[in-house]
Amino acid sequence: MNKKQLQSEQTKKKVASAARALFAQKGYKGTSIEDIVEATESSKGNIYYHFKSKEGLFLYLLEEWDLEWEQKWNEQQALYETSTEKLYAIVEQSVMDDFSHPLTKAADEFFNHEEKTTEVEKRMTVMIDRHLEFNKRLIQEGIDRGELEPMQVEHLAIILESLFFGLNQLSRRSYAMDEVLTIYRTAIKVVLYGIATSKQHQT
């Protein structure tokens, strides 16, 4: 990386850092490009050069959050031996992260109320695809070890992602963290064992 590229990358990181603080403080809608310009002393054109739009800048922060989550998981996944243990650990990390991350409320605004451009939709699709690949690796590992039934891995990955997405959207709004953890753990139990009684399994 030459000097010009290094300076450009430093500017990008500076803008992202300032924007993250503003989004955390004022929310997604409450933060304007003008606010970010004032906080960073960068020009509006410079911000658009690096991120194309306010949406693009926020997506960049969400992508960073996603990568931070995965890095944290990679650092601790060796602590868990079975796929079941890993699923429950992922639930705990996800809930703790959602309740404590400074961008949680702004992300809720962004996903639930903001109209998405084609470019944003494409980048969101990339993020979802990364989640599905993560799920597929986890499920395939469980199948290979004989812990999970050998079913269609791609379908199971979609089901798991849909479950987590739905829980994230619905449970955190109405319940405290302990209750949300219980709901997530119950969801994993349902995925692993179902809700039918043993008597029903026999019929």
Side-chain angles (χ1 to χ4, degrees):
M1 187 179 293
N2 60 37
K3 185 176 180 180
K4 185 176 180 180
Q5 290 172 324
L6 181 61
Q7 288 175 336
S8 178
E9 187 63 23
Q10 288 173 340
T11 299
K12 185 175 182 178
K13 293 291 184 184
K14 179 183 176 182
V15 170
S17 179
R20 176 180 163 126
L22 285 168
F23 285 129
Q25 178 187 357
K26 303 175 69 173
Y28 179 78
K29 286 192 172 182
T31 301
S32 66
I33 288 292
E34 288 72 20
D35 292 330
I36 300 168
V37 167
E38 184 177 350
T40 59
E41 299 181 350
S42 294
S43 68
K44 188 181 294 187
N46 202 10
I47 293 171
Y48 285 137
Y49 169 77
H50 288 291
F51 301 103
K52 295 185 179 179
S53 64
K54 176 182 159 182
E55 283 181 326
L57 172 50
F58 193 73
L59 263 178
Y60 174 84
L61 296 174
L62 292 181
E63 289 161 353
E64 281 195 327
W65 180 3
D66 224 28
L67 293 172
E68 288 166 5
W69 188 98
E70 194 164 336
Q71 181 180 351
K72 183 178 178 181
W73 171 250
N74 288 336
E75 290 170 356
Q76 67 171 6
Q77 66 170 319
L79 298 173
Y80 310 101
E81 293 185 6
T82 68
S83 296
T84 298
E85 289 175 344
K86 288 180 180 180
L87 280 167
Y88 282 113
I90 286 169
V91 158
E92 185 164 340
Q93 180 176 314
S94 297
V95 172
M96 297 285 285
D97 195 46
D98 282 342
F99 268 83
S100 63
H101 200 280
L103 290 180
T104 294
K105 289 184 178 180
D108 285 344
E109 280 186 73
F110 180 77
F111 285 119
N112 294 321
H113 304 294
E114 193 68 14
E115 291 187 12
K116 311 298 186 299
T117 64
T118 302
E119 177 63 24
V120 168
E121 293 284 2
K122 286 179 181 178
R123 288 173 63 180
M124 287 174 63
T125 298
V126 170
M127 289 176 66
I128 292 169
D129 286 345
R130 189 164 65 242
H131 293 179
L132 292 175
E133 286 301 318
F134 177 91
N135 293 345
K136 284 162 66 174
R137 290 194 301 271
L138 179 68
I139 293 165
Q140 188 63 59
E141 178 186 319
I143 292 173
D144 292 343
R145 294 174 60 165
E147 298 171 22
L148 302 176
E149 290 288 341
M151 299 172 69
Q152 174 58 261
V153 173
E154 186 171 346
H155 294 176
L156 292 175
I158 293 171
I159 291 168
L160 193 60
E161 184 63 21
S162 301
L163 181 66
F164 284 158
F165 182 80
L167 288 170
N168 177 273
Q169 293 295 300
L170 295 175
S171 62
R172 183 169 37 78
R173 297 179 182 181
S174 305
Y175 300 98
M177 185 172 70
D178 287 348
E179 186 71 13
V180 173
L181 268 171
T182 299
I183 293 170
Y184 269 72
R185 287 169 180 151
T186 300
I188 293 301
K189 185 177 179 181
V190 169
V191 168
L192 291 171
Y193 309 113
I195 59 174
T197 63
S198 57
K199 181 179 179 181
Q200 287 296 320
H201 288 163
Q202 294 168 6
T203 61

